[in-house]
Amino acid sequence: MRIWFTCCVLGVSMLLWAGKGTYAQTEKQERYRSYKSKSAVSDKKGLLTEADQLKLSNPNAALDKVQEALALSIAEGDLTTELKSYLLLGEINEGIAAWSLAKDAYEKAHELANSKKGISPELIKSVVGLGNSHLHLQNLDAAVQYFLQGIQLTRGQQQNQLRLSLSEAYYQQQKYDGALAAINEISITKRLDGTFQTLVEIQRAKIETQLNGNAKLGNIYSNSLNKAQSGSVVEPEVSQSLQKTKEEIAGTYRSRKQYDDEIELRKNAIEYNQQVENFAEVTKDKVEIGKTLEAKGEDSKALKELEEAGKIAESISDANEKSNAFLLLAEAYEKNGQTANALRTYRKYASSIAQQLRETKRMQASRDTIIAKQKNIERISSDVSLGKEQDSLQEATVYRQQLIIYGLLLIVIIVAIAAFFIYRNAKAKHLANQLLALKSLRSQMNPHFIFNALNSVNHFIAEQDERTANKFLSEFSALMRAVLENSGQDFITLNAEVEMLSLYLKLEHYRFRDKFDYELQIDPGIVTETIELPPMLLQPYIENAVWHGLRYKEGRGKLNVSIAPKNGDIVVTISDNGIGRERSKQLKTDNQRKHKSTGLQNIGQRLAILNDVYRTHYRVAIDDMPNNTGTVVTIFLPTTNSIAA
C-alpha cells in the first residue's frame, strides 16, 4: 500500500509541476506582449542611432536605448534590427574595454548574420569584432582565424586594416615572420590613409626590432613632432599606438641591455609628448630613463631624471604615473642618504596612492553599473524571446498539457497496478521466509531439549544409579517420540502439549526429587483437544523454573502449572517458589553469564514470527514474587487457533 500511495503522490506532484511551469511561461508572455504593443509606435532605428551617438560619451544611456531597441526587435521578429542591436552592444563594450561582454554580443550578431544568405556588412562587422575581442582576451588562435576569415570577406582599405590586425595577432604569438608577412601584403597606394600608413610603419618598426634589434621609431616620432609643431592634429590612434609600441621596443632594448638605444628612444618620445602636452607620458619616460641609468651605474644622472619626473608629476592628474614617479624618487633619495627628501617624497607617494584608489573605485563602480545593466539586457531579451515562442505555441501547449496529464494518469494507474502485484509477491515471499525461519527455530528446540535431557541421564549414570537411569531412559524415549512426532507441525493441540509437559515434569522430578514437588492443573471447562498452540512453547519456561529457580533452593520447593480461561484467552501460569531471578544471576559463573538462554530467546523469536505471520497475539509476562521468593511466568494463548469441535 505504501507503493500505491507513493505513485499517487508522484502523479499529483507531476501535475502540480506542470501547472507551475504554465504560470512561469505566462509571466514571460506578458513581458513579450508589452513590448509587442510598443513596437507599433516605437522607432527602433531612431533608438539605435541615438545609442550610436552616445556610445563613447555616455555608455550608460546608450545601453538603455539598445536594450529597448533589442527587446522591441525580438518582440516584432525584426532580425535585422536585432542584429544591429547586438553589433552596437559589442561596440559599446569595446569602448569600455569590456572585451568578454563584447565577444558575447558579437557572437550573437555573428549567429544572426550567418542565418542570412550572402555576405553582408553586418557579417563582416561581427567577424572583425570577434577578431578584436579574442585578440584583447589573448585568445590568439581564435583571433587569427577570425582575421583570416575577414580578409577573405573584404577588399581595399578594410582588408588592409584586417592584415594589420592579423600582424598584431602573429606578433603577440611571437611569430614575427608571419607578422612581417602580413604587413608586407598590405597594398600601399596613394589613396591609402596617412594615419593608417603611420600605424603600418609603427607595426613594422616593432617587428623589425624583434627580428634584428633595429627600431625605426625615431623617424616616426620626428614626423609626428613636425606635424604637431605645424599646428596639425596628430590622430589619437597614432599617439596611442606610438606609446604602446615605444614601451614594447624599449622593453626589448632593456632586456638586451641596449641601454643607450632605450634612452635615445625615450628622449624622442619625451620631445614629442611635450609638444602634444602629454605630460603623464613624459613623466613615465623620465622615470624609465632614471631606472635605465641606475642599471648603467650612473646614479647621479638617474637621480636628476627622477627629480625632473617628480616635478612634472606635481602637475599631472594621472594618479598611477604620479605615484610611480614619487615612489622611485623616494627610493633614490633613500639610496643616496637624503633621508629628509625621501620622507617628504614618500608622503607625496602616499597621497597619490590614495587618489589612485579613489579613482579606481569610481571607475569600478561605473563599470559595475554598466555590466549589471548588460545582464539585465540579456535577461529581458531572453524573456521576450521565450515569451514570443510561448505565445505562438500557446494553443499547442494547452493540447500537449492535456495529453501529458492523461498520459501521467495512465502511467500512475499502470505503476499502481504493477506496484500492487509487486507488493503481493513481496508479501508472499516474506510469508514464505517467515515460515522458513519459524521452521528453523522450531527445529532448534529439539537439540536444545535433547541436550538438557541427556545431561540428566548423565547425572544418574555418574551417581551409579543404574535402575533410575534405565527408568529415566524409558520415560525419555517416550517423550522423545512425542517431541519428534510434533516437531513437524506448526501447531499441536493443547492436549498433546500437556502430555509432553507431564512426561517432562516426571523426568525432571526423577533427577531433582529431593528439590521440588510439582502440580499440573487444567481447568475442567477447557476442551484441550480444541485448543491449538505451537509445539514446545511451554517447556522452556518450566525448564527455566526448575534449573534456575528450584534447583538452588534450600529445602523443598514447589512448581505449579495451571491452565485456565481468562477474557477469551487461555492463560498458562507457571509459578515457582525458588530463589528468584536476582539470586539466580548472582550464583551464575562468569561463563554462564556470557551464555544467553537459547531456549527463551528462541521462544521470543518464534512468538514474534507467529504473531506476524498468523496475525495472532501470543504474549508472555515474567514477574518476580514478593521479596524475590520465586518467579511467575504468564503465557497468553489466543483461542483464534481453536480446532472446530
Side-chain angles (χ1 to χ4, degrees):
M1 296 308 293
R2 289 181 181 175
I3 299 176
W4 174 273
F5 176 74
T6 303
C7 293
C8 293
V9 171
L10 178 62
V12 172
S13 301
M14 294 178 76
L15 293 177
L16 290 175
W17 173 82
K20 184 177 179 182
T22 303
Y23 175 79
Q25 293 168 0
T26 302
E27 187 178 344
K28 292 179 174 63
Q29 283 177 274
E30 287 176 358
R31 187 186 291 275
Y32 156 68
R33 288 170 183 168
S34 172
Y35 277 104
K36 187 176 181 181
S37 64
K38 292 180 183 178
S39 65
V41 294
S42 298
D43 181 11
K44 299 187 292 296
K45 292 182 180 179
L47 287 169
L48 291 180
T49 300
E50 292 178 43
D52 189 54
Q53 294 169 351
L54 293 168
K55 66 183 178 184
L56 296 178
S57 60
N58 192 347
N60 250 321
L63 284 173
D64 288 334
K65 297 187 180 299
V66 170
Q67 172 183 311
E68 187 171 0
L70 183 58
L72 290 169
S73 62
I74 293 174
E76 194 176 334
D78 185 350
L79 293 180
T80 300
T81 308
E82 184 182 353
L83 169 57
K84 290 180 179 179
S85 298
Y86 280 122
L87 287 173
L88 187 52
L89 187 60
E91 291 174 9
I92 293 171
N93 283 309
E94 280 192 21
I96 62 172
W99 293 105
S100 182
L101 292 173
K103 176 182 72 68
D104 293 341
Y106 283 129
E107 282 177 346
K108 291 176 181 176
H110 189 255
E111 183 179 351
L112 288 170
N114 272 329
S115 66
K116 296 183 175 183
K117 293 182 179 180
I119 300 172
S120 64
E122 289 78 18
L123 176 61
I124 294 172
K125 194 178 248 188
S126 67
V127 170
V128 173
L130 283 169
N132 288 330
S133 299
H134 282 292
L135 180 63
H136 284 86
L137 291 169
Q138 290 297 297
N139 302 327
L140 299 177
D141 290 336
V144 167
Q145 293 303 316
Y146 280 113
F147 288 142
L148 289 172
Q149 182 182 348
I151 290 170
Q152 296 296 321
L153 298 174
T154 56
R155 295 290 181 272
Q157 178 60 23
Q158 198 171 18
Q159 189 181 63
N160 285 335
Q161 181 64 56
L162 284 166
R163 292 190 188 281
L164 180 60
S165 299
L166 178 62
S167 174
E168 178 61 22
Y170 281 139
Y171 179 83
Q172 291 190 28
Q173 287 182 318
Q174 298 183 0
K175 297 178 180 179
Y176 303 121
D177 290 332
L180 186 60
I183 285 291
N184 290 335
E185 288 180 4
I186 293 176
S187 303
I188 304 296
T189 64
K190 292 181 179 180
R191 296 173 57 189
L192 199 62
D193 180 77
T195 300
F196 182 73
Q197 287 191 35
T198 304
L199 293 174
V200 171
E201 291 174 12
I202 293 171
Q203 182 71 10
R204 189 186 298 277
K206 72 179 184 181
I207 295 170
E208 289 180 350
T209 302
Q210 296 296 337
L211 290 174
N212 53 43
N214 182 22
K216 297 181 180 178
L217 274 187
N219 292 335
I220 300 173
Y221 270 118
S222 297
N223 293 336
S224 299
L225 179 61
N226 293 335
K227 188 174 183 179
Q229 288 173 340
S230 65
S232 300
V233 177
V234 179
E235 293 77 1
E237 190 178 1
V238 171
S239 284
Q240 291 172 8
S241 182
L242 267 175
Q243 309 304 354
K244 180 182 176 183
T245 304
K246 175 255 297 181
E247 289 302 323
E248 291 180 5
I249 294 176
T252 301
Y253 281 149
R254 185 176 295 180
S255 66
R256 295 175 179 175
K257 297 185 179 181
Q258 296 175 242
Y259 298 130
D260 292 336
D261 291 334
E262 181 193 350
I263 292 171
E264 182 182 357
L265 176 61
R266 291 193 181 277
K267 285 182 177 179
N268 287 333
I270 289 171
E271 187 178 3
Y272 165 74
N273 285 312
Q274 284 175 333
Q275 180 64 39
V276 297
E277 298 183 349
N278 187 353
F279 295 109
E281 198 67 27
V282 172
T283 302
K284 180 178 181 179
D285 281 321
K286 283 193 169 292
V287 166
E288 294 301 324
I289 288 174
K291 289 166 67 175
T292 303
L293 288 170
E294 279 188 352
K296 291 180 66 177
E298 300 177 8
D299 291 344
S300 59
K301 289 183 180 180
L303 180 59
K304 183 179 179 181
E305 289 291 339
L306 292 172
E307 285 177 333
E308 290 179 8
K311 290 177 183 178
I312 299 171
E314 299 277 4
S315 62
I316 65 176
S317 59
D318 189 326
N320 183 49
E321 296 302 336
K322 184 185 291 190
S323 61
N324 192 38
F326 287 145
L327 176 61
L328 289 172
L329 178 57
E331 289 175 349
Y333 277 140
E334 190 174 8
K335 184 178 179 180
N336 284 275
Q338 300 181 33
T339 307
N341 287 338
L343 182 60
R344 184 173 61 255
T345 309
Y346 272 126
R347 287 173 182 164
K348 292 179 181 180
Y349 167 69
S351 176
S352 61
I353 283 292
Q355 177 189 347
Q356 185 178 354
L357 288 174
R358 288 193 298 271
E359 290 179 0
T360 301
K361 283 184 178 180
R362 185 173 63 254
M363 291 173 63
Q364 187 61 44
S366 176
R367 184 183 178 88
D368 289 345
T369 300
I370 292 174
I371 291 174
K373 187 166 290 187
Q374 293 198 67
K375 290 182 179 178
N376 189 50
I377 290 175
E378 292 177 8
R379 182 178 60 82
I380 291 175
S381 301
S382 176
D383 285 354
V384 172
S385 180
L386 286 173
K388 179 182 177 182
E389 293 175 9
Q390 293 157 4
D391 197 63
S392 62
L393 297 174
Q394 188 172 28
E395 291 184 3
T397 300
V398 171
Y399 176 71
R400 283 199 302 271
Q401 285 180 339
Q402 290 175 341
L403 289 179
I404 289 171
I405 291 171
Y406 295 140
L408 289 175
L409 290 174
L410 180 61
I411 290 171
V412 168
I413 292 171
I414 293 171
V415 171
I417 293 172
F420 171 75
F421 284 107
I422 291 172
Y423 170 75
R424 192 172 70 174
N425 291 337
K427 190 172 179 64
K429 185 176 181 180
H430 175 72
L431 178 61
N433 289 337
Q434 293 285 66
L435 291 174
L436 183 62
L438 186 62
K439 185 175 181 180
S440 174
L441 289 171
R442 192 169 63 240
S443 65
Q444 291 175 20
M445 292 299 299
N446 291 337
H448 174 264
F449 171 73
I450 293 169
F451 174 78
N452 288 337
L454 289 177
N455 274 338
S456 297
V457 176
N458 184 58
H459 170 74
F460 290 126
I461 294 172
E463 291 185 351
Q464 296 182 349
D465 189 350
E466 182 179 347
R467 181 179 178 183
T468 304
N470 289 332
K471 187 176 181 180
F472 185 91
L473 283 173
S474 176
E475 297 287 350
F476 175 70
S477 64
L479 176 60
M480 285 309 303
R481 276 196 301 272
V483 169
L484 293 175
E485 285 174 1
N486 294 328
S487 64
Q489 305 297 320
D490 291 336
F491 293 93
I492 62 172
T493 64
L494 180 58
N495 183 63
E497 182 75 3
V498 169
E499 287 180 359
M500 284 195 298
L501 288 180
S502 298
L503 286 171
Y504 176 73
L505 283 168
K506 185 183 292 186
L507 290 175
E508 290 291 30
H509 192 253
Y510 276 151
R511 179 175 179 183
F512 301 112
R513 52 185 173 272
D514 57 343
K515 284 292 184 180
F516 75 97
D517 294 320
Y518 69 92
E519 185 176 2
L520 178 60
Q521 298 176 330
I522 303 175
D523 190 284
I526 296 177
V527 182
T528 57
E529 292 294 341
T530 65
I531 305 298
E532 283 192 331
L533 74 163
M536 298 294 288
L537 179 64
L538 307 178
Q539 182 271 336
Y541 294 105
I542 295 174
E543 179 185 330
N544 213 47
V546 172
W547 280 69
H548 300 292
L550 298 169
R551 175 186 178 186
Y552 298 107
K553 181 178 176 64
E554 295 178 2
R556 201 169 187 84
K558 182 66 179 288
L559 173 66
N560 289 311
V561 180
S562 68
I563 303 174
K566 184 178 181 181
N567 297 329
D569 290 336
I570 302 299
V571 178
V572 179
T573 304
I574 302 169
S575 62
D576 69 82
N577 61 350
I579 63 174
R581 289 188 292 175
E582 289 298 323
R583 179 60 178 159
S584 177
K585 288 179 184 177
Q586 295 172 5
L587 293 176
K588 284 184 178 181
T589 65
D590 290 340
N591 187 53
Q592 287 173 330
R593 288 191 186 99
K594 293 177 183 177
H595 176 71
K596 294 183 179 179
S597 177
T598 305
L600 294 183
Q601 185 179 15
N602 187 306
I603 287 293
Q605 293 174 356
R606 287 177 66 198
L607 291 182
I609 294 174
L610 284 166
N611 289 333
D612 181 40
V613 172
Y614 294 104
R615 296 289 185 268
T616 55
H617 193 54
Y618 288 97
R619 291 175 293 142
V620 177
I622 302 176
D623 299 300
D624 295 315
M625 292 282 198
N627 301 320
N628 287 320
T629 57
T631 307
V632 178
V633 178
T634 307
I635 305 168
F636 298 87
L637 306 177
T639 57
T640 53
N641 294 314
S642 298
I643 301 174

